[in-house]
Amino acid sequence: MEGELRDKDGLTEEEFLERYEPGDYPRPSVATDMVIFTVTDQAEDNYRKLPEKELRLLLIKRGGHPYLGTWALPGGFVRPTETTEQAASRELREETGVDQVYLEQLYTFSQPGRDPRTWVMSCSYMALVDSARVKVEAGDDADQAAWFKMECRVREKRGKTEVWELNLSHQDTCLKAVLETEEGDSFVRSRIVQQHGLAFDHSRIIACGLERLRGKLQYTDLAFHLLPEYFTLTQLQQVYEVILDRDLPAAAFRRKAAPMVKETKQYTENEGHRPSRLYRKNQEE
């Protein structure tokens, strides 16, 4: 067609596409890895005592190479017919049996050598689920799936370098990682110093997910995705405290929470202590 644009080789776009060979350029595989958080009640011997909350992370035990027998984030390769978000939703549904939960993209991890098989980029996602809705089942490439209690805090500081320790535990299984960050830097740029029992670079992805959750808890209502529809103010405060890893003054917290919750006429029942009023998320907030 007269006037059609041509490139420096004299080709039209149609001619260029006819001659284009994708194999001329190395292409990565693309995976999604899911950082799936929930909050559960810690078992208490005294039924009159309010149960403490625990932050938990879903991990799967790998049933094949590489990293056979180690624990990893749920995930898999993106299919040619789906987006990364669709792949993440599919993996979430397959691993937990739930969908329509909070899901947000974290970061694309593309460090060379992060997967021993080939060049693999991981588009990671964070999901928040109410533990009461979840039925965990291991996928085809996993031997087992389990909720691990998690803790992540600064172990020491060396100048501007912060040394973080990540601990994950489930029954008799304990996983550990040590990461270094420069003061003020994100875990995205952290260095894995030590990693025991975890596959790939998943300790970095886990820390990144917790960092995102802690940050957004300060100015969003994400905590409600980890609670049932009806809850007490104490339960809400416990969720904040277990994620932020610090105690919060009750009076100040309730003032902050007041616009986000709506009082109901319901109370807790059969919990061995004085009934507490139940609240729900304020949909008008």
Side-chain angles (χ1 to χ4, degrees), residues 171-190:
Q171 297 178 350
D172 296 330
T173 302
C174 295
L175 313 176
K176 180 180 177 180
V178 177
L179 302 99
E180 288 185 352
T181 65
E182 293 304 307
E183 189 174 3
D185 263 0
S186 165
F187 277 110
V188 167
R189 291 177 288 279
S190 64

Side-chain angles (χ1 to χ4, degrees), residues 39 41 50-54 217 220-250 252-263 268 276-282 285:
V39 171
D41 287 337
L50 286 172
E52 298 292 330
K53 298 292 185 184
E54 293 180 336
L217 212 63
T220 71
D221 59 4
L222 284 190
F224 293 100
H225 295 282
L226 296 164
L227 286 162
E229 182 179 3
Y230 298 97
F231 51 84
T232 67
L233 290 181
T234 298
Q235 290 169 338
L236 178 61
Q237 181 171 340
Q238 286 178 322
V239 168
Y240 272 80
E241 290 177 336
V242 75
I243 294 172
L244 298 175
D245 196 24
R246 67 173 188 266
D247 293 332
L248 300 173
F253 175 81
R254 295 196 176 204
R255 285 195 298 271
K256 177 182 177 180
M260 298 189 293
V261 300
K262 186 173 183 179
E263 186 179 284
T268 56
S276 299
R277 185 181 293 276
L278 292 172
Y279 293 76
R280 64 186 303 178
K281 179 183 177 183
N282 184 3
E285 190 267 328

Side-chain angles (χ1 to χ4, degrees), residues 185-229:
D185 263 0
S186 165
F187 277 110
V188 167
R189 291 177 288 279
S190 64
R191 185 171 72 90
I192 300 174
V193 179
Q194 175 188 339
Q195 185 170 267
H196 171 70
L198 280 166
F200 306 104
D201 57 350
H202 286 187
S203 59
R204 180 187 290 115
I205 301 177
I206 292 167
C208 184
L210 181 59
E211 178 181 58
R212 175 73 61 84
L213 179 58
R214 284 175 173 172
K216 296 193 76 168
L217 212 63
Q218 308 285 354
Y219 61 93
T220 71
D221 59 4
L222 284 190
F224 293 100
H225 295 282
L226 296 164
L227 286 162
E229 182 179 3

Side-chain angles (χ1 to χ4, degrees), residues 118-175:
T118 185
W119 181 18
V120 179
M121 299 169 61
S122 173
C123 188
S124 61
Y125 284 79
M126 177 179 71
L128 307 178
V129 299
D130 172 12
S131 60
R133 297 179 55 197
V134 176
K135 181 181 179 181
V136 175
E137 296 180 2
D140 293 339
D141 59 349
D143 282 342
Q144 186 180 348
W147 288 106
F148 278 72
K149 177 184 176 182
M150 72 172 294
E151 296 176 341
C152 185
R153 52 178 64 108
V154 175
R155 189 175 71 180
E156 62 177 302
K157 292 188 178 183
R158 298 195 297 264
K160 292 186 177 181
T161 300
E162 295 181 335
V163 182
W164 290 77
E165 185 170 294
L166 171 67
N167 289 290
L168 300 156
S169 59
H170 171 69
Q171 297 178 350
D172 296 330
T173 302
C174 295
L175 313 176

